[in-house]
Structures are given as structure tokens and as C-alpha cells.
Amino acid sequence: MSVHPFYSAHEHGFVRVATSTPQVRTADVAFNRDAVLAEARRAHAAHVDLLVFPELCLSSYAIDDLHLQAAMIEAVEAALAEIVRESADLSPVLLVGAALPHKGRLYNCALAIAHGRLLGVVPKSYLPNYREFYEKRWFASGKTIQGQTIRVNGQDVPFGIDLVFASEVLPNFRFFIEICEDIWAATPPSSLGALAGATVLCNLSASNIVIGKSDERHLLCRSQSARAAAAYIYSAAGHGESTTDLAWDGQGLIYELGDLLAESERFSLHPELCVADIDVDRIVMDRMRLPTFNDAADVAGRPEETFRTVPFRHAPAGGDIGLIRPISRFPFVPSRADKLDADCYEAFNIQVDGLMRRIEATGAKSLVIGISGGLDSTHALIVAARACDRLGLPRAFIRGYTMPGFATSDGTRSNAWKLMEAVGITAEEIDIRPAATTMLEGIGHAFSQGEPVYDVTFENVQAGLRTDYLFRLANQHDGFVIGTGDLSELALGWCTYGVGDQMSHYTVNAGVPKTLIQYLIRWCATTDQFGAETEAVLLSILDTEISPELVPAGEDGAIQSTEAKIGPYELNDFFLHHIVRFGQKPSKVAFLALHAWREAAAGSWPAGFPEERKNEYHLATIRSWLEKFLRRFFAFSQFKRSAIPNGPKVSSGGALSPRGDWRAPSDASAAVWLAELEARVP
């Protein structure tokens, strides 16, 4: 039975890569050859496309003057011939480390081997010759070698530091190779390799271990993958190398755009295969968004025009091979458990600082805010309270108004009052029902005649009146209105335009999606930011059903549910992140969402996330809500975003201000995205 292409990771631009720390024996070439082939076969069984071995893994690295023995040089070349031959039936491209002679010199090299063919050879550019390193005793530097060929086992192949290897099977799978010390250089060769078009940067390393060196490797690999807008694969030598004077930990690292995807076990006695799926399409799309990357290519003389491209064919696995990479269910929510407090503090205080500056700039005598007892107004209020604290203003400077309408529940009204009193602001209540009734009568709405008509007019009369009251109150008290609507609502158009919750004088939540607001409120409640009384109210509000409370409860008592209408916010925020930040196609967003959400017990959740809220979604549900998201985001709601008030960007995932991350026409069609979803998602 054939599998729909949707389920194939390769169809969505993923390339499966791995680092290998084979079991080696010092100076035993035959043993090391067999170890390399054993790991290559294991990688083949794991559907790996690119396998990176350590530096000089055929001879082992720490053999000193044995590198210059003729028998060793010949044994290495003979072993390479067998590896090339055995690779014919293997899926991975193999990057193997070996010393090779060329024109009377010996070079520390990386060899790219695919499908029974030696593709090319890359020499090491920077040879360490300090402290414990003595490489210039044995090897010549390859830092100036370009445009040359080298003869290996009777075959002439490309040789130099100007090689980019490009798959003819998987678009955007283009890799560049450097060796160990090269990444410690002030100008790593991989920088030019990335500017020449390589999306995957590979490092074959020996790198003995000393205290703190693992952190240094992380720093270098992470920064290079971020700066070069690429993936970076690092594979270091491990157990079996000579410990005459040094020790080895076999560290394997896989980074993508600054994110750690996988890390091997260090100091393992057994062969290590560290596997992750790299998103090469995401890398290319990110580069399109970074004019600095293209400017750097110009300054470097456009290396894509001088580097040689070595095409290769290989046999990537078809069908559903799973997806091996961490996928955040909540991409806007801090996920680093060790830095959770710092990340939440930062997100919260971005909002606080933005509001503080606006208070200073306007010389306002008050802040006016509507308090509903829901998530958004709650978060806006505690942001405002902290801004007052930091400016030395009394919290009574904030004027909070709860404005019950036709569907306001006792629970939310009670929470609104408890919150205002606990925070210590100036609190009042304005019942909007009389004014709403007058307006509905004035326009001849059926509700004013006693009919249970709860249409959009009925809802927006209430939403509009609340905003109208707030603006006039701001006039009366020489202040300005704090908007409470969030990023998720802006994305979905779930707000009343103009005279409604879409408008304010300054909107502190515009860069904060609903999932992050929930998390920040919980953080404030559980880290004693505002005291025990406020904490209890915050937790109560977190447990309340998300509802606009504009339509009275039905005969069965069911209240108006936001998420039943527009979809779960946790899915919508997932869609928003991948579409806005990386421009991903709907089918790929659905694929990622499926792997993130289909099994609640799999993967990681944000620290402290409530067990009872750990949901899971299957493809049919994901597809249905994604279709609705595409319609609302692309075709329905841009006119509301084009006129939003000022407010601070909070997350690197993006914001929707027309002055910032997102610029789009208000009259666009969603047809392109809906057609792609229809054609490619079963």
C-alpha cells in the first residue's frame, strides 16, 4: 500500500543528517575501516542522508609521526577504496577523514563519498600548532587550494576548499566541509561556503577534551549556524584514540539557525550515532528574509560564482520515516527550563518598558483600561501595575472599568472586581446594557423588539460601547486607553474594528500571542510577582473558559466559546509562528503540527504546564482548523491589522504591525494557500 507523499519528511524539505563516533583503534586502519562501514550501514538503516565522521578517523588522529609512514599512507588509501566500493548500496553521503598525499605534501582531508563514488576531497585550511597541537609537523595547509584535482586510487577528483556538494535529488540540500580548527579561525571557511550556497556546514573534528571545551564547541557551532543562516554538523573523535597525552569525548552536535537539534552522548565506550532532520527549506527561506546575508555575499565577491559545485545522486528513503527533531508545541513560549525565569522576566518587561516610555512621552495623568475578568485585560493590567511601580506612580494612577453587558457572567465580573481590588487600582463599574439597548432600539435591531437575535451587530454594539466609554473616560481623566487585544486575535481578526477592542491609544499585548499570555500570567502567579491575593485571582482567571461574553448562554447553559468558533489557540499560534516567521507552506505547517501534537505523551511540554491541559490533535482536526486560519489570516483580517495602534514587539517569532514584521494588502485572496493545502494534505 503506497503512502501519501504528505507523510514523507523529504517531501517537506527535511534532510536526515547524523554524526558518527565510530569505535576506533589507534593506527589500526583495517579495524577503523570496518568500524566506519559498520556505522555507515547503521545510518543507512536509520534512513540517514548525510553522515559525518571524525577527523582522520581511518588512521585515528593522535598517531603523531606515524602519519608520515609510507605504509600508513598506503593503507589509508586502500581502505578508502573499499569504503567507496561498499557505499554503492548505502543511502548516506559519507564524509570520512583521512590523510592524503598530493604533489609531495600530505594533507589532512575530508572525503565526500556517495553511492559508490568519491565526489571530492577538501583539505584542512588551518593547522593548529600551539599547546598540545603539532599538525604543521605532518601536514600542509590547504587554505589556498582552489580549482585543483587530486588523484585517489587512480581517480582524479575535485580537490580544494572551494567545493559545494549539491544533491540532484533533494532541492536545497547543499553541503560544505571544513575540518576541526577551521571553525576556531577568525574567518572560518564555512562562512564563504554558506555564502556560496551551502545550507549544511560540516565539521570533521578530532578535538581532545579539556574542562570547558564542550561549552566552547557549543558556542562556536551555535554562533556559526546562526551567523551563516545554516545548519552546522560537528563530529569529534572519541574513545579509541591514543590517550598518551590527551583524552577524547566523541562529542557530536547538530545545530540549525542557532537551535540545537541533537547532541551525542559524550565519553561513550560504544559507537555513537547522533541523528536529526534538518530543514533545508527553512534555511533557504530565512536567507531570503535576510538582506544582510546577501550583502555579505556581495562583499565577499559572490563566492557562488567562483566556488565549484559537485553534483551527486543518492537514494533518500521514501515514505513515512518519521521526523527526528524537536518541535515546540508552543513556539512563542519560553522553553529553556534552566532560563525560564529570565525569559519570562524579559518578555514581561518588554511590555512594561514600552508602556513606561509611552507614559513618559504623553505626560498622562492616568491610564484607562477595561477589565473583563478574562486573560488579555488581566495581563494588560498587571503590565500597567508594574509600569507604575517602576515609575514610582501609585497604582491608583490606573483607572480600571468593568463594563458588564448582556452576557457577562457572575464569575468573570467577580474576578474583574477581585483583580482590580487586589492590584490596588482605581476601580469602577459601568453597566453598558442601558446604552446598548438604546442604540439597538435606535437602529431598529430585532433584539430591541424582544427577539433573541444575537448577530454580529448585537455583539459589536456592546464591544463598541465599551471602547467608546474608555476613550471618553480617558478624555475626562487626562489619560490614555491601554489596549488589551493580543497577537493571536489580530492574526485571526477576532476583534471589533475601529470603535471596538481593535483600537486604543497604546496596546501592550499586540506582540504577545494568547499562549504566551497564559504562560506569563501563570509565571506571575507562581513566582510571587504581585502577592498572594493577586495570585489567587490570576489562577482563577487562567481556569476560566475563553469567551467574549457577548451572546447570552443557551438554554443548555453553554456559554459562547471563542475556541469553538475559531479553533484552539495553541494550534492557531503554532500556525501563526510557522507561516509568519518562516513563510512555510500550509502542507508543511500541517506536517509539523501533526508531529508536534498527535501524541500528548511524546515530546516536551513547557515547564510547569498543567497535565489536564496537555491536548493532542490528529490530522483531520489540524487540517480543518488550519484551513480556517488561512481564510481568516490571509483574506479576512488584514484590514484590521493595517490600522492597529502602537505596541511593542515581544517575540522573535514576529509581530503583525504594518510598521514592523508584517506588511500585506488588506484586499488579498487566500486562494494560493488554500489550494496548496487542498492539493497536498490528505
Side-chain angles (χ1 to χ4, degrees):
M1 180 179 177
S2 63
V3 177
H4 194 287
F6 169 81
Y7 295 99
S8 168
H10 288 122
E11 289 287 326
H12 297 285
F14 291 99
V15 174
R16 183 158 294 177
V17 303
T19 67
S20 172
T21 308
Q23 191 169 14
V24 297
R25 188 181 291 167
T26 307
D28 190 337
V29 176
F31 180 91
N32 297 340
R33 173 204 63 206
D34 292 344
V36 165
L37 286 172
E39 285 295 278
R41 294 183 184 109
R42 193 153 71 104
H44 171 83
H47 309 301
V48 169
D49 300 305
L50 177 66
L51 180 59
V52 182
F53 288 99
E55 178 182 13
L56 296 171
C57 58
L58 280 183
S59 59
S60 64
Y61 174 84
I63 62 172
D64 299 334
D65 288 352
L66 301 187
H67 283 301
L68 295 174
Q69 289 287 307
M72 175 63 67
I73 294 170
E74 288 183 6
V76 165
E77 191 163 357
L80 284 169
E82 189 162 346
I83 291 173
V84 171
R85 187 164 51 250
E86 292 294 318
S87 73
D89 297 323
L90 301 177
S91 63
V93 180
L94 309 178
L95 305 188
V96 178
L100 292 177
H102 179 65
K103 296 182 179 179
R105 302 178 183 90
L106 190 65
Y107 291 91
N108 180 344
C109 298
L111 293 87
I113 300 166
H115 244 21
R117 177 179 163 225
L118 176 58
L119 304 175
V121 178
V122 177
K124 188 172 184 175
S125 292
Y126 297 98
L127 303 177
N129 227 60
Y130 53 86
R131 297 195 296 271
E132 65 264 44
F133 300 108
Y134 206 2
E135 285 193 33
K136 289 185 179 180
R137 179 182 176 96
W138 312 300
F139 304 119
S141 169
K143 62 180 179 291
T144 61
I145 296 178
Q146 299 182 42
Q148 294 192 30
T149 60
I150 187 172
R151 194 164 187 82
V152 183
N153 288 313
Q155 176 190 3
D156 291 322
V157 297
F159 180 51
I161 60 167
D162 58 342
L163 303 180
V164 172
F165 299 87
S167 170
E168 295 181 326
V169 183
L170 300 176
N172 297 328
F173 176 24
R174 300 167 62 88
F175 67 85
F176 177 87
I177 307 170
E178 61 188 5
I179 302 172
C180 199
E181 183 77 5
D182 291 347
I183 196 177
W184 269 268
T187 54
S190 57
S191 295
L192 284 178
L195 295 175
T199 53
V200 182
L201 312 176
C202 309
N203 189 311
L204 291 74
S205 176
S207 185
N208 64 297
I209 187 63
V210 293
I211 296 171
K213 198 170 188 180
S214 172
D215 290 341
E216 186 177 3
R217 295 173 189 149
H218 273 289
L219 174 65
L220 292 170
C221 295
R222 181 185 181 191
S223 62
Q224 187 66 347
S225 73
R227 182 179 295 109
Y232 201 92
I233 311 171
Y234 177 89
S235 181
H239 186 77
E241 283 283 353
S242 171
T243 55
T244 300
D245 292 302
L246 305 172
W248 315 85
D249 64 333
Q251 187 168 32
L253 300 170
I254 302 173
Y255 275 90
E256 176 186 306
L257 298 176
D259 295 329
L260 178 63
L261 299 188
E263 179 177 8
S264 68
E265 178 187 343
R266 297 168 59 214
F267 300 106
S268 174
L269 292 178
H270 306 289
E272 275 287 303
L273 196 65
C274 176
V275 183
D277 290 330
I278 285 174
D279 190 344
V280 291
D281 284 3
R282 183 173 84 125
I283 290 168
V284 170
M285 291 298 294
D286 207 40
R287 288 178 178 178
M288 289 182 186
R289 287 168 166 71
L290 298 172
T292 304
F293 184 88
N294 292 313
D295 289 345
D298 287 338
V299 170
R302 301 214 68 81
E304 65 195 48
E305 298 175 2
T306 56
F307 271 51
R308 291 175 287 171
T309 298
V310 180
F312 64 91
R313 296 194 66 80
H314 57 128
D320 184 357
I321 60 171
L323 187 66
I324 305 175
R325 64 184 277 126
I327 306 175
S328 174
R329 291 176 170 92
F330 298 91
F332 290 102
V333 171
S335 59
R336 303 183 300 176
D338 59 327
K339 295 188 177 181
L340 182 63
D341 280 347
D343 289 344
C344 290
Y345 169 87
E346 188 171 57
F348 186 68
N349 279 281
I350 289 170
Q351 297 176 268
V352 171
D353 190 76
L355 182 57
M356 288 167 56
R357 179 69 188 106
R358 187 53 56 101
I359 294 170
E360 292 174 334
T362 60
K365 301 298 188 293
S366 69
L367 301 178
V368 175
I369 182 171
I371 305 298
S372 68
L375 291 168
D376 293 346
S377 63
T378 295
H379 188 64
L381 176 57
I382 59 179
V383 167
R386 185 50 45 85
C388 288
D389 295 345
R390 291 188 58 194
L391 288 171
L393 297 170
R395 290 185 182 176
F397 185 81
I398 305 167
R399 304 188 67 87
Y401 297 88
T402 183
M403 294 177 280
F406 297 115
T408 302
S409 67
D410 292 339
T412 54
R413 179 173 174 271
S414 173
N415 277 339
W417 270 107
K418 288 177 182 176
L419 180 66
M420 292 190 292
E421 290 169 349
V423 175
I425 67 172
T426 302
E428 295 185 34
E429 180 172 305
I430 299 174
D431 188 341
I432 67 166
R433 287 173 292 186
T437 300
T438 298
M439 181 174 284
L440 290 166
E441 288 174 349
I443 64 174
H445 191 273
F447 178 80
S448 65
Q449 307 302 317
E451 297 182 32
V453 177
Y454 308 126
D455 56 10
V456 67
T457 305
F458 176 82
E459 295 186 52
N460 284 351
V461 160
Q462 297 171 79
L465 275 170
R466 286 176 175 139
T467 302
D468 204 1
Y469 272 118
L470 293 174
F471 271 92
R472 303 297 74 80
L473 288 162
N475 297 153
Q476 185 177 357
H477 296 285
D478 197 12
F480 64 84
V481 177
I482 299 176
T484 61
D486 64 48
L487 183 68
S488 306
E489 293 178 342
L490 285 170
L492 295 158
W494 192 249
C495 51
T496 301
Y497 181 76
V499 185
D501 55 323
Q502 178 260 355
M503 188 49 62
S504 64
H505 288 114
Y506 192 74
T507 175
V508 294
N509 290 341
V512 190
K514 191 78 75 179
T515 49
L516 181 54
I517 281 179
Q518 291 170 313
Y519 203 75
L520 289 177
I521 292 175
R522 191 174 301 279
W523 174 76
C524 287
T526 56
T527 55
D528 197 29
Q529 299 291 317
F530 290 94
E533 185 181 358
T534 304
E535 174 187 321
V537 185
L538 294 179
L539 292 175
S540 175
I541 290 169
L542 280 170
D543 289 335
T544 303
E545 170 82 22
I546 299 174
S547 171
E549 292 196 328
L550 294 170
V551 174
E555 293 182 2
D556 58 357
I559 66 168
Q560 186 181 18
S561 169
T562 296
E563 291 182 297
K565 177 75 172 178
I566 61 175
Y569 275 115
E570 54 197 13
L571 282 184
N572 283 320
D573 285 356
F574 186 95
F575 303 154
L576 175 65
H577 174 82
H578 289 281
I579 287 172
V580 170
R581 174 63 183 85
F582 294 106
Q584 305 279 34
K585 294 179 289 189
S587 60
K588 186 165 186 173
V589 175
F591 179 80
L592 290 168
L594 178 63
H595 283 274
W597 287 98
R598 66 181 171 184
E599 188 176 348
S604 62
W605 292 85
F609 197 86
E611 284 293 328
E612 68 276 8
R613 297 201 174 191
K614 291 183 177 179
N615 298 318
E616 59 186 24
Y617 302 99
H618 298 295
L619 182 58
T621 302
I622 291 168
R623 191 188 192 283
S624 174
W625 288 123
L626 178 55
E627 180 180 350
K628 292 177 175 63
F629 176 90
L630 297 173
R631 292 183 188 279
R632 297 189 70 96
F633 183 77
F634 287 107
F636 169 73
S637 54
Q638 180 58 40
F639 78 99
K640 298 182 181 181
R641 297 190 290 269
S642 294
I644 63 172
N646 298 167
K649 177 180 176 179
V650 173
S651 168
S652 62
L656 294 174
S657 168
R659 300 167 295 276
D661 284 20
W662 184 255
R663 294 164 174 81
S666 296
D667 49 4
S669 166
V672 167
W673 294 270
L674 293 171
E676 201 276 343
L677 181 75
E678 177 66 27
R680 299 196 61 193
V681 181

